[in-house]
């Protein structure tokens, strides 16, 4: 029998609908004092909507029914004034993207102070001192400097800590953390998870932690609730769910994460577990075959002593007085048919390096030789002719797609630009073939980007990159923002295309588990330099540098 004194929030039959379309259906759970409930599921499962309903943050076309008792007070019947008294003081929320959650024109400290003074009658100086003490508590370096900084002047991890401080400034009973680590490096992610655990124990806060990744949930949750298409399919003690899952969907979420101790030919997908009769063949048991030693092949790409700098300060005449070396004296080779993984924390220079290889950013010095041709010496006109051979897939598919162009138009555009296919009918036929090759239905060719899911948008970007039949493809954090199940599908697709067409990849990511699964060799970057370059299995089992060891230790493990 449950100890009622230990219960802080009791949710019963919570149902949310948008214009008569039900997105959360009769969700039931109990949150205990000082405990963490992990809510896990893919995008569209209803996990965030179910929590936003508790704070009255849903749009006006949402209808909410059921019950949510906070210390005996019914939340779902509150008016806007009642919700304002609850938000921040009783229940606080850390949103997924701190950059869009913080006011860009207001200093970080002022935003935290504003939250405190809205709920408590304290003078500005007292509020400032409390905010500074909390900045120290969330382990922000130089609290006074960050207090007077704007959001764009601090790192992603620091912005997330400011959000945590803002959420905790009024000592709430419940903290809702909505995907608080999704966009962060694995090392920063580990630090934030450790910080949340520490603060929870120190202040006896109850936490609802929302994520699409069971590996992350495993690090912090006492109980787990798994949601699928608005319905709770499984819930219970964390260890029971993680080690003895009963629902096929939970089994799929666990299985589709790249394993750390092996590299199967294909990653399992959630669909295989939900519809086993449609997926009878097993591709996951056999490890990936390694191609012949790369030393026996000629490099497709050679980079020598490459330097890329960004001006930080200029004088009145435009002369650079101070600069930042984003890429510092880097040399490496990429061999035809291999996947070279490039890993490192945000700010290490890996994205700048990837863009410099395509001359999207100019290098200060050094050489880039592709198939015997010096890219760094080419004119823009010469370079344009070569662009069909080297393509890039960007991190965020939504921002890299034109919202006014359909999927078909997006894929056909490079074919028209490079005059590879002259007639519209032939271009459309080619676009349909490419859509089929990346797993998109033909009837979707006239849909716009907003009509696709995140994983489907990334497939459009892949199809566009492959339209010109390139030899080298740079994948810049191309799966970082995806659900783990969709990530597995995209990784399988990249491997299939490599095997079918012989593509060469440079795969950039901050996640070593993904890089290890996909790559033949891994190159580790830190502060603009290469600190380690080795065979993927060797680097994973025997890292040579402390920095690589730190990245490996930060990978979430179940």
């Amino acid at each position: 029998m449950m100890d009622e004194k230990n219960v802080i929030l009791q949710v019963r039959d919570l149902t949310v609908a948008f214009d008569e379309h039900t997105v959360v259906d009769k969700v039931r759970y109990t949150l205990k004092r000082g405990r963490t409930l992990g809510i896990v599921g893919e995008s569209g499962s209803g996990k965030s909507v179910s929590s936003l309903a508790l704070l009255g943050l849903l749009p006006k076309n949402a209808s909410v029914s059921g019950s949510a008792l906070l210390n005996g007070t019914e939340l779902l019947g509150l008016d806007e004034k009642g919700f304002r008294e609850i938000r921040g003081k009783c229940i606080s929320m850390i949103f997924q993207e701190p950059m869009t959650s913080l006011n860009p024109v207001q200093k970080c400290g002022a935003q935290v102070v504003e939250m405190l003074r809205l709920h408590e009658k304290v003078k500005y100086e007292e509020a400032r001192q409390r905010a500074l003490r909390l900045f120290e508590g969330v382990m922000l370096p130089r609290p006074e400097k960050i207090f007077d900084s704007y959001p764009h002047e601090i790192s992603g991890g620091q912005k997330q800590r400011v959000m945590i401080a803002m959420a905790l400034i009024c000592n709430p009973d419940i903290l809702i953390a909505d995907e608080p680590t999704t966009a962060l490096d694995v090392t920063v992610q580990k630090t934030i998870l450790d910080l949340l655990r520490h603060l929870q124990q120190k202040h006896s806060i109850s936490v609802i932690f929302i994520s699409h990744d069971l590996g992350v949930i495993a690090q912090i949750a006492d109980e787990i609730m798994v949601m699928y298409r608005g319905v709770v399919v499984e819930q219970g003690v964390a260890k029971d769910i993680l080690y003895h899952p009963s629902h096929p969907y939970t089994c799929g979420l666990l299985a589709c994460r790249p394993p750390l101790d092996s590299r199967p030919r294909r990653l399992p997908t959630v669909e295989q577990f939900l519809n086993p009769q449609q997926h009878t063949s097993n591709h996951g048991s056999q490890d990936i075959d390694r191609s012949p030693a790369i030393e026996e092949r000629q490099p497709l790409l050679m980079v020598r002593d490459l330097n890329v700098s960004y001006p930080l300060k200029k004088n009145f005449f435009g002369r650079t007085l101070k600069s930042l070396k984003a890429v510092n004296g880097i040399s490496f080779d990429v061999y035809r048919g291999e996947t070279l993984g490039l890993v490192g924390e945000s700010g290490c220079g890996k994205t700048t390096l990837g863009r410099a290889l395509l001359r999207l950013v100019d290098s200060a010095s050094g050489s880039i030789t592709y198939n015997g041709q010096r890219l760094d010496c080419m004119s823009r006109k010469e370079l344009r002719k070569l662009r069909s051979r080297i393509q890039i897939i960007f991190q965020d598919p939504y921002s890299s797609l034109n919202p006014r162009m359909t999927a078909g138009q997006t894929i056909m555009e490079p074919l028209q630009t490079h005059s590879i296919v002259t007639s519209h009918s032939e271009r459309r036929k080619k676009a349909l073939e490419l859509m089929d090759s990346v797993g998109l239905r033909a009837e979707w060719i006239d849909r716009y980007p907003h009509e696709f899911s995140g994983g489907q948008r990334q497939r459009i970007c892949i199809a566009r990159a492959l339209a010109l039949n390139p030899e080298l493809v740079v994948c810049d954090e191309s799966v970082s923002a995806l659900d783990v199940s969709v990530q597995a599908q995209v990784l399988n697709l990249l491997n299939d295309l490599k095997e079918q067409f012989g593509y060469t990849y440079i795969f950039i990511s901050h996640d070593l588990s993904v890089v290890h699964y996909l790559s033949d060799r891994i190159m580790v970057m830190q502060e603009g330099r290469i600190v380690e370059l080795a065979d993927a299995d060797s680097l994973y089992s025997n890292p040579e540098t402390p920095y690589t060891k730190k990245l490996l230790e930060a990978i979430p493990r179940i």
Side-chain angles (χ1 to χ4, degrees):
M1 188 174 179
M2 186 180 300
D3 182 6
E4 294 293 335
K5 293 181 181 179
N6 206 30
V7 174
I8 190 167
L9 178 67
Q10 196 169 52
V11 176
R12 293 290 177 266
D13 296 328
L14 174 62
T15 301
V16 180
F18 293 109
D19 299 326
E20 299 183 358
H21 176 65
T22 301
V23 294
V24 173
D25 192 10
K26 295 182 179 178
V27 167
R28 298 169 65 89
Y29 64 85
T30 299
L31 181 64
K32 300 175 185 176
R33 295 182 189 278
R35 305 280 284 180
T36 298
L37 170 68
I39 304 180
V40 69
E42 298 171 281
S43 298
S45 64
K47 56 188 188 298
S48 294
V49 170
S50 64
S51 294
L52 291 170
L54 303 179
L55 292 168
L57 294 175
L58 295 175
K60 292 182 179 180
N61 66 330
S63 60
V64 183
S65 62
S67 172
L69 292 174
L70 172 66
N71 288 325
T73 301
E74 179 58 64
L75 295 177
L76 302 187
L78 293 175
D79 57 14
E80 182 57 29
K81 182 181 177 182
F83 273 123
R84 281 200 301 268
E85 292 177 359
I86 291 291
R87 295 175 197 143
K89 186 177 181 181
C90 300
I91 305 179
S92 279
M93 191 163 189
I94 306 169
F95 295 96
Q96 179 171 353
E97 179 46 67
M99 191 62 211
T100 56
S101 304
L102 292 171
N103 188 333
V105 298
Q106 192 175 17
K107 291 180 179 179
C108 295
Q111 298 185 54
V112 179
V113 165
E114 180 184 33
M115 171 68 78
L116 179 58
R117 298 187 76 192
L118 277 172
H119 290 285
E120 297 183 27
K121 294 180 179 179
V122 295
K123 294 182 178 179
Y124 175 83
E125 186 55 34
E126 182 185 343
R128 180 178 179 275
Q129 290 302 320
R130 282 176 61 176
L132 287 171
R133 286 197 296 272
L134 194 50
F135 277 13
E136 290 179 4
V138 298
M139 292 179 272
L140 275 166
R142 305 181 305 281
E144 293 199 5
K145 180 174 175 56
I146 289 180
F147 187 95
D148 292 324
S149 298
Y150 290 95
H152 72 272
E153 296 178 305
I154 60 178
S155 70
Q158 289 170 346
K159 282 193 279 281
Q160 197 62 287
R161 288 165 191 263
V162 171
M163 285 293 299
I164 293 172
M166 190 185 304
L168 296 178
I169 191 69
C170 295
N171 300 313
D173 297 314
I174 298 174
L175 177 65
I176 301 175
D178 187 8
E179 300 271 14
T181 63
T182 297
L184 303 179
D185 297 331
V186 285
T187 50
V188 179
Q189 173 180 271
K190 184 178 185 300
T191 306
I192 294 295
L193 292 175
D194 290 342
L195 173 62
L196 286 174
R197 277 196 299 265
H198 169 73
L199 293 171
Q200 179 189 27
Q201 293 168 3
K202 183 178 179 181
H203 300 287
S204 298
I205 303 170
S206 302
V207 177
I208 297 175
F209 193 96
I210 300 169
S211 179
H212 65 264
D213 190 344
L214 268 169
V216 172
I217 289 285
Q219 310 302 308
I220 198 167
D222 300 300
E223 288 89 28
I224 293 176
M225 183 171 79
V226 183
M227 293 188 68
Y228 176 64
R229 294 184 178 178
V231 177
V232 176
V233 296
E234 189 167 1
Q235 63 186 121
V237 177
K239 287 185 178 179
D240 294 341
I241 301 293
L242 295 170
Y243 293 113
H244 306 288
S246 61
H247 195 277
Y249 181 68
T250 312
C251 296
L253 288 178
L254 286 164
C256 66
R257 299 176 71 250
L260 301 177
D261 55 353
S262 64
R263 283 196 280 172
R265 184 171 293 278
R266 294 180 66 79
L267 291 171
T269 63
V270 169
E271 282 299 315
Q272 289 175 266
F273 287 84
L274 293 174
N275 303 294
Q277 68 279 3
Q278 297 178 16
H279 303 273
T280 54
S281 60
N282 181 14
H283 300 285
S285 59
Q286 189 178 2
D287 278 357
I288 297 173
D289 291 333
R290 290 291 154 219
S291 48
I294 56 173
E295 289 79 8
E296 299 173 8
R297 293 181 264 161
Q298 287 296 313
L300 177 66
L301 181 75
M302 293 192 301
V303 178
R304 295 293 180 268
D305 198 27
L306 188 67
N307 292 279
V308 180
S309 298
Y310 291 118
L312 295 178
K313 187 177 181 182
K314 293 185 177 182
N315 64 12
F316 178 79
F317 300 101
R319 183 180 176 184
T320 300
L321 301 176
K322 187 179 179 182
S323 62
L324 169 70
K325 269 201 171 183
V327 174
N328 193 353
I330 280 183
S331 299
F332 65 95
D333 295 328
V334 182
Y335 295 86
R336 193 180 297 274
E338 80 161 328
T339 298
L340 176 67
L342 177 55
V343 71
E345 296 174 289
S346 295
C348 72
K350 57 187 186 296
T351 292
T352 298
L353 173 59
R355 296 188 177 207
L357 298 179
L358 281 82
R359 291 281 306 277
L360 298 176
V361 227
D362 289 329
S363 55
S365 61
S367 65
I368 307 168
T369 306
Y370 174 77
N371 214 12
Q373 297 176 279
R374 284 280 299 272
L375 297 184
D376 54 291
C377 297
M378 284 186 176
S379 66
R380 293 294 173 186
K381 184 177 180 181
E382 292 172 318
L383 193 62
R384 185 179 180 184
K385 294 178 182 177
L386 198 67
R387 288 234 186 264
S388 62
R389 314 309 303 154
I390 310 174
Q391 289 289 299
I392 187 168
I393 303 168
F394 294 101
Q395 176 175 357
D396 183 0
Y398 198 77
S399 61
S400 61
L401 292 173
N402 188 331
R404 295 182 178 88
M405 292 176 66
T406 64
Q409 290 169 336
T410 297
I411 298 169
M412 288 187 285
E413 184 185 35
L415 297 172
Q416 183 176 10
T417 301
H418 289 269
S419 303
I420 292 176
V421 182
T422 53
S423 74
H424 177 78
S425 60
E426 286 298 312
R427 285 196 296 270
R428 188 175 175 88
K429 181 181 176 182
K430 179 67 174 176
L432 287 168
E433 291 174 0
L434 286 162
M435 289 180 67
D436 181 64
S437 70
V438 298
L440 293 170
R441 296 179 187 174
E443 59 264 30
W444 295 347
I445 191 168
D446 294 318
R447 286 188 182 182
Y448 289 89
H450 72 272
E451 299 178 275
F452 292 94
S453 69
Q456 289 167 345
R457 284 195 287 266
Q458 195 61 287
R459 288 170 185 264
I460 296 171
C461 293
I462 293 171
R464 177 179 62 185
L466 303 183
L468 301 174
N469 194 26
E471 292 177 309
L472 176 65
V473 181
V474 177
C475 305
D476 185 11
E477 299 274 14
S478 53
V479 298
S480 298
L482 304 179
D483 291 333
V484 286
S485 57
V486 179
Q487 175 181 278
Q489 296 171 16
V490 174
L491 292 176
N492 285 339
L493 173 62
L494 291 173
N495 269 334
D496 291 343
L497 294 170
K498 177 184 174 182
E499 189 173 321
Q500 184 178 357
F501 299 107
Y503 293 129
T504 303
Y505 293 133
I506 296 177
F507 190 86
I508 302 171
S509 179
H510 62 261
D511 189 342
L512 249 173
S513 61
V514 172
V515 172
H516 171 249
Y517 170 73
L518 199 68
S519 305
D520 300 294
R521 291 186 301 150
I522 297 176
M523 186 164 71
V524 183
M525 282 188 70
Q526 182 185 22
E527 295 179 354
R529 295 181 180 273
I530 298 173
V531 296
E532 194 162 352
L533 174 58
D535 171 82
D537 290 328
S538 300
L539 184 138
Y540 181 78
S541 57
N542 296 300
E544 293 182 357
T545 66
Y547 180 70
T548 308
K549 290 176 183 176
K550 185 178 80 167
L551 291 178
L552 287 167
E553 288 168 358
I555 298 172
R557 289 169 169 79
I558 295 178

